[in-house]
Amino acid sequence: RSNRQPRDIFEQFFGGGYEDAVYSVKSKPISIEVQPLPADNKPADFNGAIGDFSCKIQLSKDKIKANEAVNLKITLTGKGNIKLVEAPVVAFPEDFETYDPKINENIAVTGAGVSGTKTFDYLLIPRHEGDYKIDQISFSYFDASKKEYITIPSPELLIHVDKGDENASSA
């Protein structure tokens, strides 16, 4: 707040007498030593996640008809660099039409760090009848407090596809 008189009627009415003051400040420099992640026991599917995470994988349906859609949802929850985490690699059967995942983030940044959930929602459309298997999907991260890599595997996912409407595939 300054001691100067208000310049106009608006400053008088809205409590004028304030002005910006520019100050130049300087602090002592700090140095940060960043250590590389260990190369020993590094999982092949590691994509840079560092923190403490859990992973949940679920199918919307496991019995459908050909040309009907099914959703595969991968939900990561925890503390760490969750905003930078990429979708785990999934090997889908060749007879499935797949699309890039829809990504939904619910992330909070607090004094305790970054935490929240990140969901990858894949839309899959099987084009032929049969029994299909989605191989194990695993998510790996580096736990900085334990100083080791952690891999969270999922069970194999089985999808039974019955014969669908023949006209639906041409639509």
Side-chain angles (χ1 to χ4, degrees):
R1 184 168 180 104
S2 69
N3 290 330
R4 70 169 176 77
Q5 293 296 319
R7 287 183 275 197
D8 56 31
I9 192 164
F10 293 110
E11 278 191 2
Q12 285 178 344
F13 184 74
F14 292 110
Y18 291 96
E19 62 182 296
D20 292 332
V22 179
Y23 293 97
S24 183
V25 295
K26 188 174 184 181
S27 70
K28 294 180 181 178
I30 61 170
S31 62
I32 300 173
E33 182 182 341
V34 178
Q35 298 176 347
L37 293 173
D40 297 341
N41 301 325
K42 184 176 179 179
D45 65 342
F46 177 71
N47 64 7
I50 301 172
D52 185 19
F53 298 100
S54 65
C55 181
K56 181 180 177 185
I57 299 174
Q58 61 190 35
L59 281 170
S60 60
K61 305 178 226 176
D62 59 357
K63 292 182 182 179
I64 58 173
K65 291 183 178 180
N67 301 312
E68 287 184 355
V70 64
N71 288 73
L72 171 68
K73 189 180 287 190
I74 301 172
T75 305
L76 303 175
T77 306
K79 278 179 84 170
N81 65 344
I82 193 164
K83 194 157 186 72
L84 302 176
V85 174
E86 296 177 10
V89 176
V90 182
F92 294 110
E94 288 184 19
D95 287 344
F96 280 36
E97 187 173 326
T98 62
Y99 298 92
D100 289 337
K102 177 183 172 192
I103 300 171
N104 186 11
E105 296 179 343
N106 185 10
I107 298 172
V109 179
T110 64
V114 180
S115 63
T117 61
K118 190 167 188 177
T119 304
F120 303 95
D121 194 356
Y122 292 90
L123 178 66
L124 315 172
I125 302 174
R127 292 301 181 193
H128 302 98
E129 65 182 295
D131 290 316
Y132 295 95
K133 175 177 73 169
I134 297 175
D135 291 329
Q136 182 183 50
I137 303 166
S138 62
F139 172 71
S140 296
Y141 66 94
F142 183 76
D143 190 327
S145 61
K146 296 179 183 175
K147 298 191 184 325
E148 66 181 5
Y149 291 99
I150 308 288
T151 299
I152 303 172
S154 75
E156 293 177 339
L157 302 171
L158 303 174
I159 301 174
H160 177 75
V161 181
D162 290 325
K163 187 172 183 171
D165 184 12
E166 295 292 327
N167 296 329
S169 63
S170 63

